[in-house]
Amino acid sequence: MAPEINWRTINIDLLDPESSSNFDISTLAPAVVPVSAADVQSLAGQIRQLLRGGDAEGALRGALENAPYGGDERTKEVHLATVVEILQSIKQSEMSPMLTRIYKSEGGMESLDVLMKYLYKGMSHTSQPSNASTKSLSPQTTGFSQIHSRGGGEGGGQSMSVMLSWHEKLVEIAGLGSIVRVMSDRRTV
């Protein structure tokens, strides 16, 4: 007598060669070139030189066109700090004209999508306390925590305000599609 098989427990998707469970999802993410921290440091120096020379748009384009998708987290943090420094140095009255020029240039939509990624990453980092301050502080027995200080910490409120201003102008120029593209892109900055 043959052993009894519970037909309800067979995963028939594994038997179908065209099933999504047999699809290698690593092919969905585009290949990225590895980037070293030294390369990003060098790029940051060049970008700061452009910024000091008064070419804020060139500095922003350089930072957005050379996003270190293949870098480690430390490398990405260094580049994020460079992008945030550029954004904070640009006057609010210059935002819309600059974004319009970038949008109308070749590869402009991709550059604005990268900027949107940096805005979201920057906003997520300014809303979190730094690791150094959270390691030494523990929650109080009263249920209150000492982790967040008044005013959001070291310039966190000002940085968030800048990020939100850029976000507003960017959505005005690039549209809501930029948000959707950024949320669905597997490459992170």
Side-chain angles (χ1 to χ4, degrees):
M1 185 163 161
E4 206 169 304
I5 298 175
N6 186 353
W7 298 101
R8 294 180 186 160
T9 60
I10 297 175
N11 186 354
I12 59 170
D13 287 332
L14 293 176
L15 304 174
D16 183 12
E18 295 181 13
S19 170
S20 62
S21 63
N22 293 327
F23 184 75
D24 183 20
I25 60 171
S26 66
T27 61
L28 294 176
V32 292
V33 179
V35 180
S36 70
D39 293 340
V40 171
Q41 288 285 357
S42 171
L43 178 66
Q46 293 170 358
I47 289 171
R48 283 188 183 95
Q49 187 125 12
L50 284 171
L51 202 55
R52 280 191 296 263
D55 187 11
E57 185 173 342
L60 183 60
R61 283 180 189 260
L64 297 178
E65 291 171 358
N66 297 304
Y69 289 121
D72 60 351
E73 285 305 311
R74 183 179 165 276
T75 303
K76 291 179 179 183
E77 293 295 324
V78 168
H79 199 69
L80 172 67
T82 304
V83 172
V84 170
E85 181 181 337
I86 295 167
L87 296 178
Q88 289 178 337
S89 70
I90 298 172
K91 297 176 188 169
Q92 191 162 4
S93 62
E94 298 173 356
M95 287 180 189
S96 291
M98 186 180 296
L99 289 174
T100 303
R101 286 191 300 271
I102 292 173
Y103 180 73
K104 291 180 179 179
S105 67
E106 185 179 340
M109 181 61 77
E110 290 82 14
S111 294
L112 294 184
D113 288 349
V114 172
L115 177 58
M116 185 68 82
K117 288 180 187 182
Y118 278 112
L119 291 175
Y120 283 137
K121 186 167 185 174
M123 284 190 275
S124 72
H125 282 274
T126 57
S127 64
Q128 296 173 354
S130 66
N131 290 339
S133 65
T134 57
K135 288 181 183 176
S136 63
L137 297 176
S138 61
Q140 300 295 309
T141 56
T142 59
F144 296 104
S145 175
Q146 294 179 355
I147 293 175
H148 297 287
S149 62
R150 284 189 195 182
E154 300 175 10
Q158 179 186 7
S159 178
M160 181 63 77
S161 175
V162 170
M163 298 283 183
L164 288 172
S165 296
W166 276 98
H167 186 272
E168 176 188 6
K169 301 293 184 187
L170 186 56
V171 170
E172 230 174 70
I173 304 292
L176 294 174
S178 179
I179 297 172
V180 174
R181 287 188 297 275
V182 166
M183 294 297 176
S184 62
D185 194 355
R186 292 184 175 269
R187 298 173 299 170
T188 59
V189 293

